[in-house]
Structure formats: C-alpha cells, structure tokens
Amino acid sequence: TVLVLAGAGSGKTRVLTYRIAYILQEKLAYPEEILAVTFTNKAAGEMKVRIGSLISESGAPKLPWAGTFHSICVKMLRAYGEYVGLSKTFSIYDPADQLDAVKKSMDKLNISQKDVNPRAVLGAISSSKNEMIDPEKYQGFAQGYFEESVAAIYPKYNQHLRENNAADFDDLLLLVVKLLQENNQVRERYQKQFKYILVDEYQDTNHV
C-alpha cells in the first residue's frame, strides 16, 4: 500500500498515471485488472486524459475501469444490481427527481410541506446514506419533530425508489457497499479481478 501526501499542483495525479503506465508496460497486470478511481467528474476527466495519453504511447488498450466512484459503482450495479433490488436497466434520480420522491412520500404520510421542508428532509437522508445509516438506524436516534418526520419519510422514500427501479446518487455508493459486504461471490470476483487499485483526490472521499 502506498499513500502519497503532497500539496496541490505538486504532481500526485502524475504519480498515479505514470504508475499505471509502468504497470502496463511491464505487463504486471492487464488493463481490466487495474481500478483507477477519483471523486469528481473534473478529476476523473483529467485522470482519463493523462492515462489515455500515456498508455496510447505504450500501445496498451484503454483502461475499462477508470472514472469517478459513482461511475464505477454504476458499472458494478448494472452487472449485479439484482442482488440489492435493482434490475440492469435501473434509473438514476437527479436532484429534482429525488425532491419529487420526498414530496410524494410526505403526501402519503400526510406530512405538510409547510411544517417540514422537503429539501431539508432530502439533505438529512443524503447525509445519513453517506454515513451508512439506514432507515432503521435513523429511527433509533431520531429526536424532535423534524428528525421524527425524517424517520417516517426515509423508508417511504427508499420504497418509492425501489418501486420505480431507481437509485439516487447516494444509493450508487451505498448499494455497492451493501453488495460487496453481503454477497461473497461478487466480492470475491472483484477481489480476484483487481490487482491494482489507485485512488486520486482521496481527500475528497467520505465514509461510504
């Protein structure tokens, strides 16, 4: 395991991309055995361009597993989402879709938007998913009217997503964690596949 700590603009991404080029040039792994991941679309785009330039010079084929955490997780869920309640053709809800799902869940529970702000509810659900707190755990510590409202809305919101064969952005990460934790076959498949895992912009990651 190698951890590179250095200031902005000092060449951390360069280290990562040159390491990938070296791995391919020395035939230490095939392209599909390398996972290169970063947090933001901008960082992923920069990483892909640099990797693409280097490996094209070496004659190696394009890396199939390079991108953001979310894009890599989408790829895994398209293959194995059935194990966590999604079909291969699942939809990804954008913020507007998510807010609409919260409002519909509130309507089913007769919770007025005048009393509880749907955007605040969505923010609380998102924060919970990033901390890997499911609806049952959330209900265990909810206190006060707002949190108790979120505790009621959270499972309805998730139910709405599954009934529509959909996932929100937080689910893309959370469901892959669930998939890898609970499904030995899928976990071992990826453990055997990836010989090298390289993470750029590590400081931008969260718990999940």
Side-chain angles (χ1 to χ4, degrees):
T1 301
V2 177
L3 174 64
V4 178
L5 292 171
S10 57
K12 296 185 295 298
T13 301
R14 176 184 170 90
V15 169
L16 183 148
T17 52
Y18 270 81
R19 188 178 191 211
I20 290 171
Y22 176 81
I23 290 168
L24 293 171
Q25 287 167 356
E26 296 298 313
K27 295 180 170 56
L28 300 176
Y30 293 106
E32 62 270 18
E33 295 175 325
I34 300 171
L35 171 60
V37 64
T38 188
F39 191 69
T40 65
N41 286 320
K42 180 180 179 181
E46 180 182 354
M47 184 174 69
K48 285 181 179 179
V49 168
R50 293 193 190 188
I51 292 172
S53 176
L54 286 172
I55 64 178
S56 64
E57 292 173 8
S58 68
K62 180 181 177 182
L63 279 187
W65 291 88
T68 63
F69 281 95
H70 289 86
S71 66
I72 295 297
C73 287
V74 168
K75 191 170 182 176
M76 291 180 173
L77 289 173
R78 294 289 182 206
Y80 297 106
E82 63 195 86
Y83 294 115
V84 287
L86 294 174
S87 79
K88 296 180 187 296
T89 58
F90 71 89
S91 301
I92 302 170
Y93 274 16
D94 64 20
D97 295 324
Q98 293 170 241
L99 188 61
D100 184 60
V102 167
K103 290 177 180 178
K104 287 178 178 177
S105 300
M106 291 174 65
D107 288 342
K108 288 181 180 180
L109 294 164
N110 293 317
I111 297 175
S112 172
Q113 295 180 33
K114 294 179 180 179
D115 298 328
V116 179
N117 186 323
R119 290 186 185 278
V121 171
L122 184 58
I125 292 173
S126 178
S127 295
S128 297
K129 289 186 176 185
N130 282 314
E131 294 299 323
M132 298 175 63
I133 298 170
D134 62 19
E136 186 176 352
K137 286 182 182 177
Y138 191 94
Q139 287 174 343
F141 62 72
Q143 293 182 338
Y145 183 71
F146 175 75
E147 289 187 357
E148 288 173 358
S149 297
V150 173
I153 298 164
Y154 191 175
K156 286 287 186 185
Y157 170 80
N158 276 354
Q159 181 183 354
H160 177 91
L161 293 178
R162 296 299 94 81
E163 287 175 350
N164 288 276
N165 189 34
D168 61 24
F169 290 122
D170 300 310
D171 281 335
L172 298 178
L173 307 182
L174 188 61
L175 290 177
V176 168
V177 171
K178 179 180 174 68
L179 175 66
L180 297 176
Q181 286 179 337
E182 297 180 359
N183 192 296
N184 295 338
Q185 183 180 358
V186 174
R187 182 177 65 253
E188 289 170 4
R189 183 256 196 212
Y190 286 119
Q191 285 175 333
K192 291 176 181 177
Q193 176 178 341
F194 296 127
K195 292 184 178 179
Y196 294 91
I197 299 176
L198 301 100
V199 183
D200 200 16
E201 303 292 346
Y202 181 79
Q203 74 280 356
D204 289 332
T205 61
N206 58 29
H207 182 56
V208 68

